[in-house]
Amino acid sequence: MLLNVCCQPPIKPTRRRRRRKRRRRGGQGTACLYLRGSVFRQLTLKTRSLCEFTMNLERLPNEEKLSLCRKYYLGGFALLPFLWLVNVVWFFKEAFVKPPFTEQTQIKTYVKRSAMGLSFWVTVLTTWITIYQHFRAQWGEVGDNLSFTIPLGTP
């Protein structure tokens, strides 16, 4: 059984198998459930289209921005340095480019600390990967046990 969920308007099956361009629709979303090619059921959702979810910081009030920035900063301490990268990228303009507002100083400190934590993690991981790749063969069985896959051949 073929099951496909999409957010474009359904295309009626034709005898000729040719591709048609699908247009995105705004406003109401349409979820199509295709079963075995020609038979389909269409469900109309009363919400936004499934393809149009984006993050827009301009719509959030400053208190929400500060809360979100703090959550990403604290989440980076859970061994998730990618959250620090997201925090730096998303909130850099809010912290350093936009005109001053009340929460900007706290957002600025979270962005700076996230950048420092991210650079620390990048340094540590790069150093470990370089050392491991260089000395794995000399470590013998310990180096092989640390590896997820053991490369074949001679080092």
Side-chain angles (χ1 to χ4, degrees):
M1 177 188 303
L2 175 65
L3 181 64
N4 184 9
V5 177
C6 67
C7 55
Q8 285 85 16
I11 297 175
K12 294 182 181 178
T14 59
R15 291 186 181 213
R16 294 183 193 171
R17 294 191 179 240
R18 59 183 173 183
R19 294 185 180 188
R20 294 183 185 182
K21 292 183 180 178
R22 297 179 180 178
R23 291 181 286 150
R24 290 186 180 178
R25 291 170 41 180
Q28 289 183 342
T30 304
C32 310
L33 180 64
Y34 292 99
L35 301 172
R36 295 200 178 213
S38 63
V39 179
F40 63 90
R41 294 183 183 169
Q42 182 176 351
L43 302 172
T44 303
L45 303 175
K46 300 296 181 189
T47 60
R48 293 179 56 182
S49 175
L50 298 174
C51 298
E52 296 178 4
F53 289 115
T54 58
M55 180 65 178
N56 190 358
L57 289 176
E58 294 175 356
R59 294 182 180 180
L60 289 177
N62 293 334
E63 297 84 20
E64 291 287 328
K65 292 176 190 176
L66 177 62
S67 173
L68 188 61
C69 185
R70 184 174 188 274
K71 287 176 186 176
Y72 281 129
Y73 170 69
L74 294 175
F77 286 109
L79 300 179
L80 300 170
F82 183 72
L83 288 179
W84 283 334
L85 174 66
V86 170
N87 202 13
V88 170
V89 170
W90 273 4
F91 290 102
F92 184 81
K93 287 183 181 177
E94 297 292 328
F96 299 105
V97 177
K98 296 249 176 155
F101 54 93
T102 333
E103 293 84 4
Q104 190 176 23
T105 56
Q106 290 177 316
I107 290 176
K108 197 179 285 190
T109 58
Y110 287 138
V111 170
K112 286 179 184 177
R113 290 178 183 176
S114 295
M116 289 184 345
L118 178 65
S119 63
F120 172 76
W121 268 99
V122 167
T123 304
V124 168
L125 287 177
T126 303
T127 304
W128 167 247
I129 290 169
T130 304
I131 290 171
Y132 180 75
Q133 291 294 325
H134 192 339
F135 294 110
R136 183 197 61 80
Q138 294 175 2
W139 292 344
E141 188 177 337
V142 174
D144 290 341
N145 288 337
L146 288 174
S147 180
F148 183 72
T149 57
I150 300 173
L152 299 176
T154 58

